Amino acid sequence: MNPTVLMPIALAIIMFGLGLSLTTTDFARVARYPKAVIIALICQIMLLPVITFGLVILFQLPPLLAVGMMLIVAAPGGAIANVLSHLFGGDVALNITLTAINSVTAIVTIPIVVNVSLAFFDPAGGQIGLQFQKALEVAAMVLLPVICGMIVRKLWLRFAKMMEKPVRIASLIILALVILATVLSNLATLAASIGSLLMITTLVCIISLAVGFFVPRIFRVSRPQSISSALEIGLHNGAVALVIAQSVLQNPVIALPGAVYGVVSILLGFIAATLFRAVNRRSDRMQAELVTSGASLG
């Protein structure tokens, strides 16, 4: 089971599945709620890399693992965020819009974050960064399957809707195999750093979810949109990080944080989404009680 072979296939299927759920309207929808989109993008593109950078220094991760952590936070949100948003009371339309925009902006932000991280954490490691040609590879890997999926949806809508669920299931299975292959091929390195990686990936995921929810709430973004923002920001697309580390940078050590994060984030995402739904229900009950008490006083 060769991760280098599996990963581009996994990413292509995942991003194609994303394209099957997107239309051009999803990109234009930003005009309907610009505040929610802008706040979420600032949190994801600017705030989280700074926070993660600080945590990486605090935990004193080895250079290549530090780069892997930075690569994770530079990756766009994963498809699982849309599913959890639908199940737990988020604004799914906002999730889809954020995913669409993040997938495009990632082709710029990922090379910047990776190259800056390599220059800072591993300056003597040689020229393994994302130069122009490799940055184009990232753009092609991320965008081309999405565009193909959108074309299929445009031309064969019924088929696209029918295939959304099977493709999503297939992508999760393949991603699980990719994570397993990455772990098995780097057991010695993982064993030496598993404690630090588990702690920092857990912290990064929890902080991402919290920032994604509470920062929009501070700016009076609605609770369903804040839930969507939290899931989009907190659950990064691990497949993108794994593919770039293994197939583009050709360094399996950089992929290890992504493999650990892929497992941790799904578990924490479900827990956070459950808490968000509980908060929603409590808020709805309190509002209903206020309306009832107001009516009785009147």
Side-chain angles (χ1 to χ4, degrees):
M1 188 159 46
N2 188 344
T4 306
V5 174
L6 282 175
M7 285 181 180
I9 298 173
L11 182 60
I13 293 174
I14 290 170
M15 301 311 286
F16 178 77
L18 171 61
L20 289 178
S21 66
L22 294 178
T23 67
T24 53
T25 305
D26 297 318
F27 292 90
R29 195 186 288 119
V30 64
R32 287 175 52 187
Y33 26 70
K35 182 167 72 171
V37 172
I38 292 170
I39 291 172
L41 289 177
I42 290 174
C43 288
Q44 181 152 2
I45 295 173
M46 299 176 64
L47 187 56
L48 283 183
V50 172
I51 292 172
T52 304
F53 182 82
L55 288 174
V56 164
I57 293 176
L58 178 65
F59 278 81
Q60 297 182 332
L61 287 183
L64 293 180
L65 294 181
V67 174
M69 281 304 308
M70 296 304 297
L71 177 56
I72 276 291
V73 297
I80 188 67
N82 299 348
V83 176
L84 292 180
S85 183
H86 172 70
L87 293 175
F88 292 96
D91 185 332
V92 181
L94 177 60
N95 269 108
I96 294 173
T97 298
L98 288 173
T99 301
I101 296 172
N102 278 329
S103 297
V104 174
T105 57
I107 67 176
V108 176
T109 56
I110 287 176
I112 292 174
V113 170
V114 168
N115 287 336
V116 170
S117 300
L118 283 167
F120 184 87
F121 293 111
D122 193 34
Q127 296 297 319
I128 63 169
L130 291 175
Q131 285 77 42
F132 182 72
Q133 183 177 350
K134 290 185 177 181
L136 289 180
E137 288 181 35
V138 172
M141 287 179 175
V142 172
L143 283 187
L144 286 181
V146 173
I147 293 171
C148 290
M150 292 179 68
I151 291 173
V152 169
R153 182 181 178 89
K154 179 71 173 178
L155 298 178
W156 301 286
L157 179 59
R158 185 176 178 182
F159 172 78
K161 288 184 175 180
M162 182 177 65
M163 290 301 297
E164 277 186 41
K165 186 174 181 180
V167 170
R168 188 181 298 123
I169 293 172
S171 66
L172 289 174
I173 293 172
I174 295 175
L175 180 58
L177 292 174
V178 167
I179 291 174
L180 178 61
T182 302
V183 169
L184 291 177
S185 62
N186 297 277
L187 277 177
T189 304
L190 181 62
S193 305
I194 186 62
S196 296
L197 281 178
L198 278 174
M199 289 180 67
I200 192 170
T201 51
T202 299
L203 269 177
V204 167
C205 190
I206 291 173
I207 291 172
S208 299
L209 289 163
V211 166
F213 182 77
F214 290 109
V215 171
R217 291 298 290 158
I218 289 172
F219 289 94
R220 298 187 178 182
V221 171
S222 72
R223 187 171 282 106
Q225 289 186 337
S226 297
I227 292 174
S228 297
S229 173
L231 293 173
E232 188 71 25
I233 293 170
L235 305 178
H236 298 276
N237 194 328
V240 172
L242 289 170
V243 169
I244 292 172
Q246 289 272 27
S247 301
V248 182
L249 295 173
Q250 297 182 353
N251 194 304
V253 177
I254 296 177
L256 284 177
V260 175
Y261 179 88
V263 177
V264 168
S265 64
I266 292 176
L267 175 61
L268 291 177
F270 271 97
I271 293 173
T274 303
L275 292 174
F276 293 149
R277 182 170 64 178
V279 170
N280 255 352
R281 288 178 173 175
R282 181 181 177 185
S283 176
D284 290 342
R285 283 197 302 269
M286 291 177 64
Q287 288 181 2
E289 289 171 2
L290 286 173
V291 170
T292 303
S293 62
S296 61
L297 288 175

